[in-house]
Amino acid sequence: ILKTMYRILKPGGRMLTIIPNLRGIYTQIAKFASPNILAKHQVICPVDLRRYLQAVGFKTIEVGYTGGAFKLSVVDFSPWIPAIGERGHDLLCKLINLTDIVVANALSAIRIPNQQLTSPYIYAICERSRSEE
């Protein structure tokens, strides 16, 4: 996928890549909420993402954690639908979103930065070399 993205990006073009952070608290929650979905993912940290992007030719400008200090809604609870039904799942998602707002605002007030333990995503900003023009 990264090779294709590199190929279609024009020389000098920049790309933002965002992937789930599976090294923090969300992995433990996903083991409970959606273990089959989690099993299909590979755990990648910012250093790995930088390495993969550079391996296909991208110049990595910046990598790190993003998404705020807390975002439980990053976990997929759809495997629960057979047990709790569509309406139960909708209610659960609304409660999770409300929890995200309350907890994120509280953590923001005490200035918890984006970091491995609680940030839901990893990002990379990279660029295709201009020398290929």
Side-chain angles (χ1 to χ4, degrees):
I1 292 171
L2 292 176
K3 286 180 185 178
T4 300
M5 294 168 92
Y6 184 85
R7 185 179 48 78
I8 64 174
L9 190 66
K10 70 180 184 177
R14 289 190 175 179
M15 177 177 77
L16 170 64
T17 304
I18 299 175
I19 62 171
N21 171 21
L22 297 178
R23 294 178 58 101
I25 62 171
Y26 306 104
T27 304
Q28 300 309 313
I29 297 167
K31 283 180 183 178
F32 174 71
S34 50
N36 293 337
I37 294 171
L38 180 63
K40 296 175 185 176
H41 285 78
Q42 177 183 351
V43 176
I44 298 173
C45 66
V47 174
D48 296 331
L49 182 56
R50 178 189 305 269
R51 187 170 29 90
Y52 294 146
L53 289 164
Q54 289 174 339
V56 297
F58 284 106
K59 173 188 167 197
T60 307
I61 297 169
E62 184 179 334
V63 296
Y65 294 96
T66 192
F70 186 79
K71 192 167 191 83
L72 188 56
S73 57
V74 75
V75 177
D76 185 356
F77 288 91
S78 64
W80 289 21
I81 293 173
I84 63 176
E86 289 285 342
R87 293 183 88 195
H89 181 259
D90 288 345
L91 178 60
L92 176 63
C93 289
K94 287 177 182 173
L95 290 171
I96 288 169
N97 286 333
L98 181 60
T99 302
D100 282 351
I101 292 167
V102 171
V103 174
N105 284 336
L107 293 175
S108 176
I110 59 173
R111 302 187 189 273
I112 301 292
N114 286 304
Q115 39 80 27
Q116 179 181 310
L117 180 63
T118 61
S119 293
Y121 304 106
I122 295 170
Y123 76 94
I125 300 170
C126 56
E127 180 177 82
R128 181 172 168 177
S129 173
R130 292 183 183 276
S131 63
E132 299 175 43
E133 295 184 86

